[in-house]
Amino acid sequence: MITEVFTANQLKKEAPVFGQLSFDDHEQVVFCQDKDTGLKAIIGVHNTILGPALGGTRMYDYATEWDALNDVLRLSRGMTYKAAITGLNLGGGKAVIIGNPKKIKTPELMKRFGKFVHTLGGAYYTAEDVGMETSDMDTVREVTPYVTGISETKGGAGNPSPVTAYGVYMGMKAATKFTYGTDKLEGKRILIQGIGHVGEELVRLTSEEGANVVISDINQERLEEVKHKYGADIYKGNDIYTETADIYAPCALGATINNDTIDKLNVKIIAGAANNQLENENIHGSLLQKKGIVYAPDFLINAGGIINVYAEIEGYGRDQIMAKTQNIYDTTLDILNKAKATNITTNAAAISIAEDRITARKNEK
């Protein structure tokens, strides 16, 4: 088991990690490798001023190791802002494991990964993300206490996906209130891209309110299953970004809001569960603003998951979890109104509030 924390001088010789656009004063970037299990992982600890870094582990078959590094840097930074704006005493961190979870994920690999997490001594708590299940977190828990999102039968808060979806639903309703003067989703056409655990729950919530839900996913079998469950329509076109709708909800991987898609978009609101939806938060946030599309910042409205797993650290129950998640509605409205009043992007408004909280805590120390 090898843990490598590179110094600045080493990185300048080997590769420009500190020069990456996604590198934003991260406190630690830990590269982990274990030959016996085939584990290759990267842990990014962005900021721990408010508390220990918490963020899920994503297992994905990245095209290159640089793609994996870029992803963990962007995701861990987003977790810092997510915790700060939600009022949690947590910092931001994230981990990625390189590889196809259907092919290489084993209990042994997960335990090895857990041992790496343990070497950080509580600076980073891991949890479930793409390519992971609650049972994987149970396995990690066998070798380290620094994991959340374990099964309720083992004393944890369980699968965070339903709570994540509920937070996105609250943010979507707030954005609808801001845009249309009412938060009712009945009759609204909603494009939901990505029907994983969170995406499916969002389909359920919006369908039950009477929205006209259109779903898209690379897994055709999954689409048929969700269609029959909730009466959603499957998108049959060739380019979902050109589809006319009230709301676009990206719930798969990030960076779907980019130079190629923004000109095509014909929606009033973007409110989804995916992390890092803006490929470049400055450029694409401004382009959405100019186009008059209301963007509900992803790191705010998808914070239900971190609220859920934070309960394991703080020891509060289901009622408090749901109350804190429901508050995403009010916070989203506040941010949208602040952005309008100050003529800045909604993403910039949200980051400003998060950074103010971090700075205030830093000045207290």
Side-chain angles (χ1 to χ4, degrees):
M1 199 164 60
I2 306 167
T3 302
E4 296 177 345
V5 181
F6 290 117
T7 66
N9 287 335
Q10 287 172 319
L11 285 165
K12 286 177 182 177
K13 292 177 181 178
E14 299 295 332
V17 175
F18 285 105
Q20 292 291 298
L21 292 176
S22 302
F23 190 86
D24 180 53
D25 297 323
H26 282 69
E27 294 176 6
Q28 290 189 80
V29 181
V30 182
F31 295 80
C32 316
Q33 182 176 4
D34 180 74
K35 288 185 178 180
D36 292 339
T37 62
L39 174 71
K40 288 185 178 180
I42 309 172
I43 301 171
V45 177
H46 177 251
N47 189 291
T48 58
I49 290 173
L50 294 177
L54 190 153
T57 295
R58 173 173 293 185
M59 190 170 189
Y60 186 74
D61 196 11
Y62 292 95
T64 70
E65 292 175 1
W66 282 112
D67 290 339
L69 175 62
N70 182 63
D71 205 26
V72 78
L73 291 175
R74 282 168 58 87
L75 290 166
S76 54
R77 177 178 179 264
M79 292 303 296
T80 294
Y81 293 138
K82 185 179 300 189
I85 204 166
T86 313
L88 305 180
N89 293 321
L90 289 172
K94 207 78 174 181
V96 298
I97 297 175
I98 301 170
N100 186 332
K102 294 181 179 179
K103 294 181 178 180
I104 72 166
K105 185 169 63 175
T106 63
E108 291 73 26
L109 181 144
M110 294 309 305
K111 286 179 184 178
R112 285 296 192 190
F113 172 72
K115 289 180 180 178
F116 281 114
V117 171
H118 194 72
T119 64
L120 296 179
Y124 168 67
Y125 280 73
T126 195
E128 180 184 335
D129 201 321
V130 174
M132 290 289 157
E133 304 290 342
T134 304
S135 58
D136 296 318
M137 297 305 103
D138 291 344
T139 300
V140 172
R141 185 66 177 80
E142 294 178 24
V143 296
T144 182
Y146 306 123
V147 56
T148 57
I150 60 176
S151 299
E152 293 180 80
T153 56
K154 296 182 180 294
N159 182 1
S161 297
V163 187
T164 302
Y166 183 66
V168 174
Y169 176 63
M170 287 291 101
M172 183 182 288
K173 285 177 72 66
T176 302
K177 172 73 171 177
F178 178 82
T179 305
Y180 294 101
T182 174
D183 65 9
K184 303 299 183 186
L185 298 180
E186 183 178 3
K188 296 289 188 289
R189 192 162 197 260
I190 303 176
L191 306 177
I192 299 181
Q193 182 186 39
I195 313 300
H197 296 311
V198 176
E200 178 180 346
E201 180 66 8
L202 189 60
V203 172
R204 184 186 72 80
L205 291 167
T206 52
S207 296
E208 288 181 355
E209 194 174 329
N212 299 320
V213 180
V214 181
I215 57 177
S216 172
D217 196 278
I218 58 174
N219 187 331
Q220 190 62 36
E221 184 178 341
R222 186 91 174 103
L223 286 172
E224 294 292 342
E225 177 187 347
V226 173
K227 172 187 175 180
H228 291 299
K229 263 185 172 180
Y230 308 107
D233 294 323
I234 297 175
Y235 177 68
K236 300 291 188 182
N238 297 318
D239 191 348
I240 195 171
Y241 303 106
T242 63
E243 195 73 6
T244 301
D246 296 288
I247 303 169
Y248 164 51
C251 296
L253 297 179
T256 61
I257 310 302
N258 53 55
N259 289 337
D260 294 329
T261 62
I262 285 180
D263 286 341
K264 302 175 184 179
L265 288 172
N266 191 18
V267 298
K268 296 291 186 182
I269 297 167
I270 297 174
N275 287 304
N276 299 320
Q277 294 165 24
L278 305 177
E279 186 176 56
N280 182 302
E281 64 188 42
N282 296 319
I283 294 173
H284 300 125
S286 295
L287 289 176
L288 289 178
Q289 182 185 28
K290 290 175 183 176
K291 196 167 181 178
I293 296 175
V294 174
Y295 173 63
D298 52 65
F299 62 83
L300 165 63
I301 69 171
N302 68 13
I306 193 174
I307 292 170
N308 186 74
V309 296
Y310 183 57
E312 294 179 23
I313 299 174
E314 288 296 293
Y316 56 78
R318 178 61 50 177
D319 289 346
Q320 288 173 285
I321 290 172
M322 299 313 292
K324 288 176 181 290
T325 305
Q326 188 170 2
N327 192 54
I328 288 173
Y329 181 101
D330 292 332
T331 307
T332 302
L333 266 181
D334 289 344
I335 285 169
L336 297 181
N337 285 317
K338 176 180 179 178
K340 182 179 180 180
T342 56
N343 195 31
I344 60 175
T345 68
T346 57
N347 201 69
I351 289 175
S352 173
I353 292 172
E355 288 183 338
D356 285 348
R357 182 168 180 249
I358 294 168
T359 300
R361 178 64 63 84
K362 186 177 182 180
N363 292 337
E364 289 174 3
K365 296 183 177 181

